[in-house]
Amino acid sequence: TLALAVYNFIAVCFDASCFLQNVREKSNKHGLEHLQSILLSKILGVKDINLASEHEGISVIQQRLKRKKVLLILDDVDKCEQLQALAGSPDWFGPGSRVIITTRDTQPLASHQVKRAYKVKTLNRKDALQLLTWKAFKTEQVDPSYVEVLNRVAT
């Protein structure tokens, strides 16, 4: 949720942007070539990019994006290979580009030589309840019959 809010707030400051959600799940299910195709499609505005291999994807990303100021958010990364295939090094993208990575495991970040890390603190009960209510009902006020269930979930 926080990464998506950041993306929505700053994406306009870049030539192109891409929010790759659920990297762990999608790479396990469809492979890294699939994620590379999504990344290239969104950033280049081209439909149906077919890549023969992960290595071809790396080459295309490097060649086509090295002059673009890109915002790339990789959500729920769990392996260094995912970072290598999607954002190998800073010179893959143009000056001013930013790559934001969300992960539960800091090992891929260390292996990828990430310069800055920010650990998000757990929400307190009140804020967790407010976020859950907004996500579930798209409003601050809910039917009183849901309050007990929401309180149990937020705890």
Side-chain angles (χ1 to χ4, degrees):
T1 301
L2 182 58
L4 184 57
V6 168
Y7 177 82
N8 288 333
F9 188 69
I10 67 172
V12 296
C13 301
F14 295 83
D15 298 334
S17 59
C18 178
F19 185 97
L20 281 179
Q21 211 165 4
N22 303 319
V23 170
R24 174 180 44 89
E25 179 186 329
K26 289 178 181 172
S27 67
N28 288 337
K29 196 171 189 178
H30 303 290
L32 290 169
E33 299 89 357
H34 175 72
L35 289 172
Q36 289 171 327
S37 295
I38 293 171
L39 184 156
L40 288 164
S41 292
K42 286 186 176 186
I43 290 182
L44 299 174
V46 177
K47 278 190 170 188
D48 301 323
I49 294 178
N50 295 311
L51 301 169
S53 70
E54 181 183 322
H55 295 293
E56 180 187 14
I58 288 171
S59 178
V60 173
I61 291 169
Q62 287 176 310
Q63 291 172 6
R64 300 289 305 271
L65 305 183
K66 66 183 170 189
R67 290 189 180 90
K68 288 188 178 287
K69 180 180 174 186
V70 171
L71 170 63
L72 174 59
I73 297 186
L74 304 174
D75 176 57
D76 194 21
V77 169
D78 71 336
K79 294 180 183 154
C80 189
E81 296 80 31
Q82 296 159 346
L83 295 176
Q84 288 297 333
L86 300 167
S89 67
D91 66 348
W92 282 23
F93 310 107
S97 293
R98 295 288 178 260
V99 177
I100 298 173
I101 303 159
T102 69
T103 184
R104 292 184 178 109
D105 179 8
T106 58
Q107 182 56 41
L109 300 179
S111 299
H112 201 65
Q113 299 175 340
V114 169
K115 289 184 173 88
R116 280 187 264 166
Y118 177 79
K119 186 171 182 173
V120 178
K121 295 175 187 165
T122 305
L123 293 175
N124 63 39
R125 190 181 162 288
K126 179 185 172 203
D127 291 340
L129 182 60
Q130 183 180 18
L131 178 62
L132 176 62
T133 303
W134 272 106
K135 281 296 197 179
F137 300 101
K138 310 284 190 255
T139 182
E140 197 171 322
Q141 300 297 321
V142 296
D143 187 297
S145 63
Y146 293 113
V147 173
E148 183 181 332
V149 173
L150 287 168
N151 279 317
R152 281 188 280 158
V153 171
T155 302

